[in-house]
Amino acid sequence: MLESLPFLSATYVGQPIWLWMAFLAFIIFLLWVDLGLVNRKDGVVSAKKSAAMWASFASLAIAFGAYVYFVYEPDPVYYISAENLNQQAVIQYFTGYLLETALAFDNIFVIGMIFTFFAVPREYQHRVLFWGILGAIVFRAIFISLGAAVVNQFTWVLFIFAAFLIFTGWKMIFGSDHEMDLAENKVLKFLKKRIRVTETIENHNFFVKRPDPKGSGRLVLFATPLFLCLIMVEVVDIIFAVDSVPAVFAVTKDPFIVYTSNIFAILGLRSMYFMLAEAVVRFKYLKYGLSLVLVLIGVKIIWNFGLYKAAKDLTGAPLVPYLEPQWSLVATLLLLGGSMLYSWIKTRDH
């Protein structure tokens, strides 16, 4: 097949086109199983079912990590050392997966606010999240492609990422929490001015036909509040991608590892939305652990790409050690796990 379709063997940011297409086909298949089979009928997703869905996606993410370790062929251009490439890749994959999951945790709270604002019945919420994932797959691909082109062409951009991550970590500790005034949102106002929208949600459709309000006697297409809700979920994902994509690029420069860890984290988090939506207040101290992770990654970039390369003795040997990727993974696990455990203990009476 590769001989008959030679373009499949061509490479895109370090990996053959067929591998990218195979991954996307696998993800689309998973989404078809989700909405086409498991959740074909509208209904409230229970916490138990939500946990089972998350466990399934998490298991697949771990299995993909095994693929990265045993089968994947990393492009050495994206790695510091040409030795133990698969070991470096799998550590970076799981670090990116954990980091993206933690960064997107706030997303759950904001999505809950959006559902409340549009009064979306619980039995339709999974449908919105499903189509939101499709948008995330597209937008993350665009952001990561642009990021890969910039980072691998201009390594100094990583220092900007480092400063951004340190600033974001500081802001998470001392700044205000994420708030979104939907009533004054410019995107929402723009849409309401330019498209016809029904007053209420009557079924799971994003569009319905209604009599023309101009009195032509024809049936015309109206968007429903469910469609506006979907657009706002996509807007929120784009906003959060501004934080998450630079953070993962700070962990790995391999675009395939960045993209796959992002998508698996999004799939897992959206699947357990119904389990975490009510428990999100129990993790009030998670942001402190996450902020320390962001600062740590920012400092690691400055250390590895600045001090390690610039600080040399008279023989040309580095004066400071290189911080290996596995230490980032260990630190991420300890900080995120510790902050979640502390949150759970402190809020157990709530």
Side-chain angles (χ1 to χ4, degrees):
M1 183 175 178
L2 293 178
E3 293 178 357
S4 59
L5 298 172
F7 79 93
L8 293 176
S9 299
T11 58
Y12 176 68
V13 287
Q15 294 302 321
I17 298 293
W18 69 261
L19 181 59
W20 289 98
M21 294 181 66
F23 177 76
L24 289 174
F26 176 63
I27 296 301
I28 291 171
F29 171 74
L30 292 179
L31 295 177
W32 173 78
V33 171
D34 183 348
L35 195 66
L37 296 178
V38 178
N39 295 293
R40 183 167 53 88
K41 296 181 180 179
D42 293 329
V44 177
V45 177
S46 66
K48 183 178 180 181
K49 185 176 182 179
S50 177
M53 291 166 58
W54 172 80
S56 299
F57 283 118
S59 298
L60 290 171
I62 293 171
F64 190 81
Y67 164 81
V68 171
Y69 185 75
F70 291 107
V71 182
Y72 181 59
E73 297 181 4
D75 187 337
V77 74
Y78 298 119
Y79 294 85
I80 293 294
S81 171
E83 299 179 358
N84 301 319
L85 285 176
N86 287 83
Q87 180 180 330
Q88 293 182 64
V90 75
I91 290 172
Q92 293 174 5
Y93 166 77
F94 280 116
T95 305
Y97 175 75
L98 288 171
L99 184 60
E100 174 63 24
T101 298
L103 278 168
F105 198 88
D106 258 1
N107 212 340
I108 289 180
F109 177 72
V110 178
I111 289 173
M113 290 174 52
I114 293 172
F115 283 155
T116 301
F117 179 83
F118 288 102
V120 179
R122 292 193 66 188
E123 58 266 27
Y124 301 153
Q125 291 178 5
H126 181 268
R127 184 178 180 84
V128 174
L129 292 175
F130 169 86
W131 290 106
I133 287 174
L134 291 179
I137 290 172
V138 174
F139 287 120
R140 293 302 170 102
I142 294 171
F143 287 155
I144 289 170
S145 295
L146 293 174
V150 173
V151 168
N152 291 293
Q153 185 71 26
F154 307 104
T155 305
W156 55 265
V157 172
L158 284 172
F159 292 107
I160 297 177
F161 282 1
F164 175 74
L165 292 174
I166 293 171
F167 172 74
T168 302
W170 177 86
K171 189 173 66 172
M172 287 180 69
I173 297 177
F174 300 104
S176 59
D177 294 330
H178 290 290
E179 293 183 2
M180 178 176 264
D181 186 358
L182 288 169
E184 297 299 320
N185 186 271
K186 293 181 179 179
V187 174
L188 197 55
K189 286 185 173 181
F190 176 85
L191 290 172
K192 285 184 174 180
K193 284 182 179 179
R194 284 160 177 79
I195 62 175
R196 295 181 289 264
V197 184
T198 61
E199 293 293 328
T200 59
I201 298 172
E202 298 177 14
N203 52 42
H204 69 208
N205 292 327
F206 295 116
F207 295 94
V208 294
K209 285 190 174 182
R210 293 286 184 270
D212 188 351
K214 295 181 180 179
S216 67
R218 296 182 298 108
L219 291 177
V220 294
L221 205 61
F222 277 74
T224 71
L226 208 61
F227 175 72
L228 298 183
C229 177
L230 173 63
I231 295 299
M232 294 313 301
V233 168
E234 297 290 6
V235 169
V236 165
D237 185 73
I238 291 172
I239 292 171
F240 277 89
V242 173
D243 284 340
S244 65
V245 171
V248 181
F249 264 114
V251 171
T252 175
K253 293 166 64 179
D254 188 332
F256 189 75
I257 297 299
V258 174
Y259 187 64
T260 52
S261 61
N262 256 253
I263 297 304
F264 273 117
I266 292 170
L267 286 172
L269 201 72
R270 295 286 173 92
S271 67
M272 68 175 175
Y273 167 81
F274 300 95
M275 180 178 66
L276 292 180
E278 297 180 1
V280 70
V281 292
R282 295 289 305 272
F283 297 101
K284 62 183 294 185
Y285 297 104
L286 175 62
K287 71 174 185 178
Y288 297 107
L290 181 56
S291 64
L292 291 175
V293 170
L294 295 179
V295 172
L296 177 68
I297 292 174
V299 171
K300 179 175 175 284
I301 291 174
I302 295 171
W303 183 282
N304 280 352
F305 291 90
L307 287 176
Y308 176 75
K309 290 187 175 182
K312 307 282 186 180
D313 62 18
L314 295 177
T315 64
L319 291 173
V320 296
Y322 180 79
L323 299 179
E324 299 292 342
Q326 57 264 33
W327 297 116
S328 295
L329 178 58
V330 172
T332 300
L333 283 169
L334 289 175
L335 288 170
L336 295 181
S339 59
M340 291 179 74
L341 179 61
Y342 183 74
S343 298
W344 196 259
I345 293 172
K346 293 292 289 185
T347 60
R348 63 182 180 273
D349 297 327
H350 291 219

